[in-house]
Amino acid sequence: MSTQKIQSALLSVYHKEGLEPIVRLLHQQGVQLYSTGGTRDFIAGLNIPVTAVESVTGYPSILGGRVKTLHPKIFGGILSRREDAGDQQQIREFDIPPIDLVLVDLYPFEDTVASGAAEEDIIEKIDIGGISLIRAAAKNYRDVLVVASREKYRNLEQLLQEKSGFTDLADRKLFAAYAFSVTSHYDSAIFGYFNAGHSVDAFRLSLSGSRKLRYGENPHQQGWFHGDLEAMFEQLNGKELSYNNLVDVDAAVMLINEFAGDTAFAIIKHTNACGVATGADAREAYLKALSADPVSAFGGVIATNQEINLAVAEELNKLFFEVLIAPSFRPEALQLLSSRKNRILLTRKHTALPHKMIKTLLNGVISQDKDDRTETVADLRTVTEREPDEAEKRSLVFAAKIAKHTKSNTIVLAREGQLLSSGVGQTSRVDALKQAIEKARSFGFDLNGSVMASDAFFPFPDCVEIARGVGISAVVQPGGSVRDADSIRYCNASGMAMVFTGIRHFRH
């Protein structure tokens, strides 16, 4: 049956917000309502007639509410094929009422897990009846409309209003597709909870919500973002975020997270930092960050952990950039920065970020824990005769944070609170260092007294030799090479300080 009138509906929902308009519409359109438990009480409280499921099945809700709708008289009414003579004969024989609409909102399993609830409470939030109702109705979409979550309450309300209680096959199939999206996501979340220790050799990932991007990394590639971006940011101005914007926004957010407690700015280009600095105030931090490489900053993505005031906005407004991320904007600053209609301005919300990294590779995916290790002064182990002074230690920690978020092989040159330059993505560490030195010099930086950070160990002493030649005074690296002693020996002979962290930070 392509087009059909909804004559009966079964409602069983956890969240009641937004339900009232639907119930009233269904009642106005002469729909027979069936319900149970709290949903039935809600409907009755609106003074709208509702038939208890228990009066249809002849069984009460049992086992503490675990079994309410699991009965042939309910599932027969959902799964019966309206144009199958055999089905219809059995419906009449067993006095099973047909059900044309199933409206369900599942127990909030993920929210319960996230709340830190006890395991017995989490288990009780695994919906059994609701998930079964959704699957049954979605399977029989040719005859039944299924609404599988509160996110679709409004869609249903609009459908009922626009079509006066009628639905067509396209409507029902679209709602069924969403319903199976809901059930698959729900089951993946439950599997993830039970398989937290990876005892079952399987991979499941489910994200709700998708947005089609203008294109992918290049114009001939299609791109999508899967997830809830609105939970992360509020966009105040500008064009739609592109695939490449999002990649750089991710890099900017991860880097600025390293500087909690400081007033910091980071400028990102192609996922690498071309400017990072801390300062006494936001304006100072931005100008220091920009000075590291004002050429690469053109068209970049900028992030800060401070509110954007007018003084900072006036400096930012002099630069063409793609995206600016901040906790908040003063009204006058927002007005100024919004003068360019395509400039993307984002306020960042407090959102938990995943602790796993996932990437497609060959004919599968690889996953790993996120690199959440960040070294502090306490993690620096001096291996040379000279110990770095306090200012050098702070500079070394600062440089190491940046190196952690830079493409390997990388060398970062810095002094306290400011990136001077970096060599990124080189096939040799020597090339990375030479690139960093040349870049620093091109922007007028004196490297005397600066420090050097490396994302991995030095296999030979050549890097410390080159570094000393340009005035670098202290070095931080993971250590672990069979030739560590060669680098240490050279540093001792030349008066350099070197510290090991014991932690490598490759980034490919």
Side-chain angles (χ1 to χ4, degrees), residues 485-501:
D486 294 344
S487 294
I488 294 170
R489 190 178 302 112
Y490 179 84
C491 287
N492 285 335
S494 58
M496 296 175 71
M498 184 158 64
V499 298
F500 286 178
T501 64

Side-chain angles (χ1 to χ4, degrees), residues 290-368:
L290 180 64
S291 67
D293 187 350
V295 175
S296 295
F298 182 88
V301 170
I302 304 174
T304 182
N305 53 16
Q306 300 296 307
E307 181 176 65
I308 300 297
N309 58 32
L310 184 58
V312 186
E314 287 173 340
E315 297 296 341
L316 284 160
N317 201 46
K318 299 173 185 177
L319 176 72
F320 170 75
F321 60 86
E322 288 277 340
V323 184
L324 173 61
I325 308 157
S328 59
F329 292 76
R330 297 291 299 167
E332 60 275 15
L334 179 60
Q335 182 179 7
L336 175 62
L337 293 172
S338 298
S339 60
R340 296 188 184 182
K341 66 177 183 179
N342 288 333
R343 179 184 278 161
I344 299 169
L345 305 177
L346 303 175
T347 56
R348 184 177 169 188
K349 302 176 184 178
H350 296 289
T351 308
L353 297 175
H355 294 286
K356 292 286 184 182
M357 300 179 69
I358 298 164
K359 180 181 180 180
T360 60
L361 188 147
L362 300 175
N363 63 341
V365 300
I366 53 174
S367 66
Q368 64 173 347

Side-chain angles (χ1 to χ4, degrees), residues 212-418:
K212 188 176 182 180
L213 306 175
R214 297 198 304 274
Y215 50 82
E217 196 163 9
N218 300 290
H220 63 276
Q221 296 171 269
Q222 183 58 68
W224 294 81
F225 176 83
H226 304 285
D228 185 4
L229 200 59
E230 284 73 27
M232 184 88 191
F233 301 108
E234 180 182 0
Q235 184 165 344
L236 304 178
N237 188 71
K239 60 187 178 181
E240 180 184 348
L241 284 158
S242 70
Y243 181 98
N244 291 331
N245 287 156
L246 288 168
V247 172
D248 281 345
V249 164
D250 176 73
V253 167
M254 295 304 108
L255 178 54
I256 206 69
N257 281 353
E258 299 285 355
F259 298 97
D262 293 317
T263 296
F265 260 89
I267 306 173
I268 300 294
K269 197 71 171 287
H270 298 297
T271 74
N272 293 307
C274 58
V276 184
T278 59
D281 55 45
R283 182 178 181 274
E284 178 186 307
Y286 168 67
L287 291 175
K288 285 170 64 178
L290 180 64
S291 67
D293 187 350
V295 175
S296 295
F298 182 88
V301 170
I302 304 174
T304 182
N305 53 16
Q306 300 296 307
E307 181 176 65
I308 300 297
N309 58 32
L310 184 58
V312 186
E314 287 173 340
E315 297 296 341
L316 284 160
N317 201 46
K318 299 173 185 177
L319 176 72
F320 170 75
F321 60 86
E322 288 277 340
V323 184
L324 173 61
I325 308 157
S328 59
F329 292 76
R330 297 291 299 167
E332 60 275 15
L334 179 60
Q335 182 179 7
L336 175 62
L337 293 172
S338 298
S339 60
R340 296 188 184 182
K341 66 177 183 179
N342 288 333
R343 179 184 278 161
I344 299 169
L345 305 177
L346 303 175
T347 56
R348 184 177 169 188
K349 302 176 184 178
H350 296 289
T351 308
L353 297 175
H355 294 286
K356 292 286 184 182
M357 300 179 69
I358 298 164
K359 180 181 180 180
T360 60
L361 188 147
L362 300 175
N363 63 341
V365 300
I366 53 174
S367 66
Q368 64 173 347
D369 296 335
K370 184 173 285 186
D371 185 358
D372 288 330
R373 286 290 301 270
T374 298
E375 288 70 58
T376 67
V377 169
D379 298 309
L380 306 182
R381 179 170 66 89
T382 303
V383 294
T384 50
E385 293 170 356
R386 184 174 82 79
E387 182 175 355
D389 61 33
E390 294 306 310
E392 286 175 324
K393 288 179 181 178
R394 290 191 295 271
S395 298
L396 290 167
V397 168
F398 178 86
K401 289 178 179 179
I402 300 170
K404 171 185 169 182
H405 292 273
T406 307
K407 293 288 185 183
S408 299
N409 290 309
T410 185
I411 292 291
V412 169
L413 305 182
R415 58 172 48 96
E416 188 172 0
Q418 185 179 25

